[in-house]
Amino acid sequence: MGTSVALEFEKPIAELEKQIDELRKVAGDRQVEVDDEIVPLTRKLDALRAEIYRNLSPIQRVQVARHVRRPFTADYLRLCFTDFIELHGDRAFREDAAIVGGWARLDDETVMVIGHQRGRDTRENLKRNFGMPHPEGYRKALRLMKLAEKFQVPILTLIDTTGAWAGIGAEERGQSEAIARNLFEMSRLEVPIIATVIGEGGSGGALALGVADRVLMLENSVYSVISVEGCASILWKDGKSPEMREKAAKALRITAPDLLELRVIDDIVPEPPGGAHANHEEAAKALHVALLHHLEELRRLKPDKLVRRRREKFLRMGIFNE
Amino acid sequence: MVWFRKDKKPRQPLRQKLEIPADAWEKCEQCGHTDIREKFVRNLSVCPSCGYHRRIRAIEYVGILLDEGSVEEVEPDLRSADPLGFPDYPARLKKALGSAGDEDAILTVSGTLGETPVNLGVMDFAFMGGSMGSVVGEKIARLGQRSLERKYALVIISASGGARMQEGVLSLMQMAKAAAMLAQLSERRIPYVSILTNPTTGGVSASYAMLGDAIIAEPGAVIGFAGPRVIKQTLGQDLPEGFQTSEFLLDHGMVDCVVPRGELKRTVGQLLRHMSGQPAATGWAAS
């Protein structure tokens, strides 16, 4: 994949990569002669990547989570699953391309995969509305989840959205109700549900796919009640300056280890060195392993027990004094 | 052409004559109508002239909805913690506890409504904008649990700007928590009536507020997920007149009815009777 769209803190990585590329170009066919130089440089590159990614700050994680080259739902559909057939529409108003879903196969088992879909360029982003759903998206997702329940197929959701769309039509058609309905119904579906935050998990638009038996987060993904910009703008009247965004990112506790500690998520899926965008195949492989592992555990539970445990898990969430 | 002339007598200013103290007057912030406070109070803080519903405290709604002498507070001892160590949160909590009371952003009680036993939760905008954190979610869950155990109907009056940012993703999860509780009530056929007041936005609107077996809105309340300011900012255009008001939601099929404050008790009572198979209090079915 490379890092042609390098983030600020990735610049040293990009420079080293460029150096190695140039050496290779100079060497041409005489590959052997420059190996003495390339091999240590490559090793240095790996170490640098690991080092930088071990110490990411929360706001840097936000940048990684939103990276335009980060694997999206469609990439995981291609890399983790086979036999995918996309199903469209909410059967009430229209199709919402900000959420994609359909039947797929995970190894030899049929599953229902539903996820937010962002775009890599302007054209696709217009089609996908930057991965920010309208009510139709949530309603389509619920339709597909009920379809999965009918045929007793597990549901796997992939969360990757800045949040719900702040627009007139979305309000007119009741996005509050659409999100609320998903929370309500997901708490009672009698099939295993695994939700994975693959990029940014932004507020209600994320949670609408997030009431699950297991909630996983990719190592560098974030999950928050509000965007760091929104938080900084409301609390400190400054959503633009890097300092305030950094302060908000830190204060909100939005990284995977934070959420594991707060018992909001159940597991963290490791990303390859340099983040998921550095190696889509490796990222997909890790997700594949995690999904199989959790699915195997959930499969042993009878439907009523599955639902009871899911409810108990969410009913326990929260920290207060008594 | 003047047909006859009337001599103008100097008028005695009314106020001077009656000597009503200045603080006995109230002015409607919507239409500017000024009236004696007593009239506003008797009218449940609804403007006698334009019908504007002023924001009132949680305890006042309890008085409006429940029968006198039947009320018992439920779970009064839950207090917000600072689970994230969020900047300034403890100070803001302390200030809210001082100015708005101990109930956090929701007061939960048991009582009777026209002799029907109910569990009632009333959000209070005065406490940090009615924001929903762990305490609000837990109080709703426990109130719901009580409803499950006793088979009492549940009524929640919402007034909230949304999730409490200072509790981060934990406050987001309260949306799922409340919804999971309501699903249990629903499966046991225990009625749940949701009443929306000004404002009901953000995370609260996208959870229990929109999940009622019946959803009632007070006139003129702002109800929606994204706040009007955010939408205006995103789209860079003015919003249509009356956008996101109770009446707008009624037109768009999002609420069952818009009911003035003075008729809330009667309407909720009527709904609960229908949904719990009780005979009507009046009318042909009772005879």
Side-chain angles (χ1 to χ4, degrees):
Chain A
M1 227 353 64
T3 39
S4 56
V5 193
L7 299 168
E8 192 55 40
F9 62 86
E10 288 183 317
K11 291 266 158 75
I13 299 176
E15 264 165 38
L16 206 51
E17 275 179 339
K18 209 171 129 199
Q19 229 176 309
I20 295 171
D21 276 355
E22 271 165 14
L23 266 175
R24 287 217 172 98
K25 242 181 258 163
V26 169
D29 300 331
R30 298 164 291 132
Q31 190 68 39
V32 194
E33 288 167 37
V34 287
D35 265 2
D36 285 355
E37 287 177 69
I38 287 180
V39 170
L41 274 182
T42 312
R43 221 170 278 147
K44 197 176 156 196
L45 178 67
D46 289 344
L48 185 66
R49 245 196 211 122
E51 178 61 23
I52 286 175
Y53 268 79
R54 208 175 12 251
N55 298 310
L56 288 187
S57 71
I59 192 68
Q60 288 172 335
R61 282 222 156 104
V62 173
Q63 291 166 338
V64 174
R66 291 174 180 171
H67 201 293
V68 68
R69 297 235 181 267
R70 195 169 168 83
F72 297 159
T73 291
D75 301 302
Y76 289 114
L77 275 166
R78 193 163 38 78
L79 295 165
C80 273
F81 302 92
T82 55
D83 205 15
F84 175 63
I85 174 159
E86 186 172 357
L87 305 172
H88 297 90
D90 68 343
R91 299 294 186 272
F93 185 68
R94 63 159 201 184
E95 157 68 359
D96 184 351
I99 292 182
V100 300
W103 300 115
R105 219 171 271 275
L106 182 71
D107 279 2
D108 48 8
E109 181 182 17
T110 287
V111 291
M112 179 63 79
V113 185
I114 301 163
H116 302 98
Q117 180 63 46
R118 298 194 281 147
R120 283 222 165 77
D121 52 38
T122 309
R123 221 184 91 183
E124 210 195 338
N125 261 325
L126 287 176
K127 178 182 169 188
R128 306 283 180 193
N129 198 36
F130 301 86
M132 299 167 91
H134 283 72
E136 301 80 65
Y138 310 120
R139 290 183 179 129
K140 170 173 74 175
L142 184 58
R143 180 176 78 80
L144 299 188
M145 289 191 260
K146 293 213 162 187
L147 193 62
E149 185 187 39
K150 175 176 172 182
F151 294 105
Q152 299 185 305
V153 165
I155 298 162
L156 308 178
T157 67
L158 303 176
I159 294 171
D160 191 14
T161 183
T162 316
W165 178 244
I168 292 173
E171 293 292 325
E172 281 177 334
R173 299 192 294 279
Q175 63 179 340
S176 299
E177 191 276 343
I179 294 170
R181 188 63 52 199
N182 281 20
L183 309 183
F184 181 93
E185 293 294 343
M186 287 184 86
S187 81
R188 45 178 293 190
L189 286 169
E190 296 189 335
V191 289
I193 311 173
I194 303 174
T196 309
V197 185
I198 58 172
E200 188 174 16
S203 101
L207 188 63
L209 300 183
V211 181
D213 301 298
R214 297 288 156 85
V215 181
L216 320 180
M217 277 176 82
L218 259 61
E219 195 179 336
N220 295 312
S221 65
V222 293
Y223 197 0
S224 178
V225 66
I226 186 169
S227 69
V228 292
E229 292 80 5
C231 173
S233 147
I234 292 172
L235 285 184
W236 306 305
K237 312 281 171 244
D238 179 0
K240 299 228 166 78
S241 78
E243 296 78 31
M244 289 301 122
R245 291 172 63 220
E246 194 171 347
K247 187 176 170 187
K250 207 169 151 219
L252 284 166
R253 305 273 308 269
I254 57 180
T255 68
D258 283 333
L259 268 72
L260 193 64
E261 195 190 316
L262 294 168
R263 310 178 86 166
V264 167
I265 63 162
D266 304 284
D267 200 3
I268 299 174
V269 183
E271 290 185 26
H277 59 282
N279 193 332
H280 284 197
E281 287 74 19
E282 284 299 315
K285 217 176 275 174
L287 178 62
H288 188 251
V289 168
L291 291 175
L292 280 178
H293 163 73
H294 287 286
L295 210 48
E296 186 53 41
E297 282 185 9
L298 294 172
R299 214 194 311 271
R300 295 196 205 121
L301 300 172
K302 289 201 176 105
D304 59 330
K305 196 165 183 189
L306 193 69
V307 170
R308 202 171 63 237
R309 280 199 183 178
R310 188 187 310 143
R311 279 180 182 165
E312 280 167 2
K313 185 175 85 153
F314 280 92
L315 284 169
R316 269 197 308 272
M317 283 187 194
I319 296 174
F320 48 85
N321 294 325
E322 195 166 1
Chain B
M1 192 180 142
V2 181
W3 287 24
F4 60 91
R5 187 179 296 273
K6 192 174 145 190
D7 287 333
K8 276 189 188 156
K9 281 184 225 156
R11 254 180 138 186
Q12 287 285 334
L14 211 62
R15 197 174 303 194
Q16 217 170 19
K17 245 194 322 202
L18 293 173
E19 279 180 16
I20 294 172
D23 66 352
W25 295 89
E26 289 271 345
K27 187 176 173 189
C28 171
E29 49 270 59
Q30 187 72 13
C31 71
H33 173 78
T34 307
D35 218 321
I36 48 173
R37 167 170 297 163
E38 177 61 22
K39 234 174 161 176
F40 272 95
V41 171
R42 249 187 296 129
N43 216 23
L44 309 175
S45 292
V46 175
C47 172
S49 173
C50 73
Y52 174 72
H53 282 53
R54 301 176 132 191
R55 200 171 283 146
I56 57 173
R57 300 296 308 274
I59 189 74
E60 296 179 82
Y61 275 113
V62 172
I64 290 169
L65 276 188
L66 299 188
D67 306 334
E68 222 181 314
S70 75
V71 180
E72 169 208 352
E73 188 174 354
V74 176
E75 305 295 349
D77 301 324
L78 301 186
R79 298 285 182 277
S80 287
D82 178 19
L84 310 186
F86 199 98
D88 304 330
Y89 187 32
R92 293 195 64 169
L93 274 176
K94 204 172 153 195
K95 200 173 146 211
L97 283 164
S99 65
D102 290 338
E103 286 79 31
D104 207 278
I106 193 167
L107 170 66
T108 46
V109 300
S110 277
T112 59
L113 187 155
E115 291 173 16
T116 306
V118 295
N119 288 318
L120 170 68
V122 190
M123 298 195 73
D124 201 330
F125 196 82
F127 196 104
M128 291 188 75
S131 57
M132 171 182 55
S134 297
V135 166
V136 170
E138 183 67 15
K139 277 187 157 185
I140 287 174
R142 291 194 190 181
L143 196 65
Q145 185 59 37
R146 256 173 108 90
S147 274
L148 280 177
E149 284 159 9
R150 304 179 186 197
K151 290 201 178 319
Y152 286 2
L154 179 67
V155 179
I156 298 178
I157 302 181
S158 291
S160 174
R164 191 172 296 168
M165 230 180 321
Q166 292 87 346
E167 294 188 22
V169 80
L170 287 174
S171 61
L172 183 69
M173 292 304 138
Q174 304 310 308
M175 294 165 64
K177 179 170 177 167
M181 175 47 73
L182 293 175
Q184 281 173 278
L185 256 63
S186 178
E187 284 160 12
R188 303 276 285 277
R189 298 192 169 84
I190 296 168
Y192 163 48
V193 174
S194 172
I195 302 172
L196 316 180
T197 71
N198 190 36
T200 299
T201 57
V204 168
S205 80
S207 176
Y208 50 89
M210 291 308 287
L211 289 172
D213 295 313
I215 306 177
I216 298 172
E218 275 193 350
V222 170
I223 303 160
F225 186 65
R229 243 176 313 164
V230 179
I231 299 174
K232 214 172 146 178
Q233 213 178 346
T234 309
L235 303 180
Q237 67 183 61
D238 281 331
L239 302 174
E241 178 79 20
F243 180 64
Q244 289 185 315
T245 58
S246 304
E247 295 72 18
F248 176 92
L249 265 81
L250 184 70
D251 277 351
H252 285 84
M254 294 301 152
V255 298
D256 289 292
C257 35
V258 176
V259 177
R261 197 169 282 162
E263 290 169 35
L264 279 180
K265 181 169 184 174
R266 195 182 57 78
T267 308
V268 175
Q270 188 181 7
L271 286 165
L272 290 182
R273 279 195 305 278
H274 281 298
M275 293 192 286
S276 49
Q278 292 170 31
T282 53
W284 63 270
S287 58

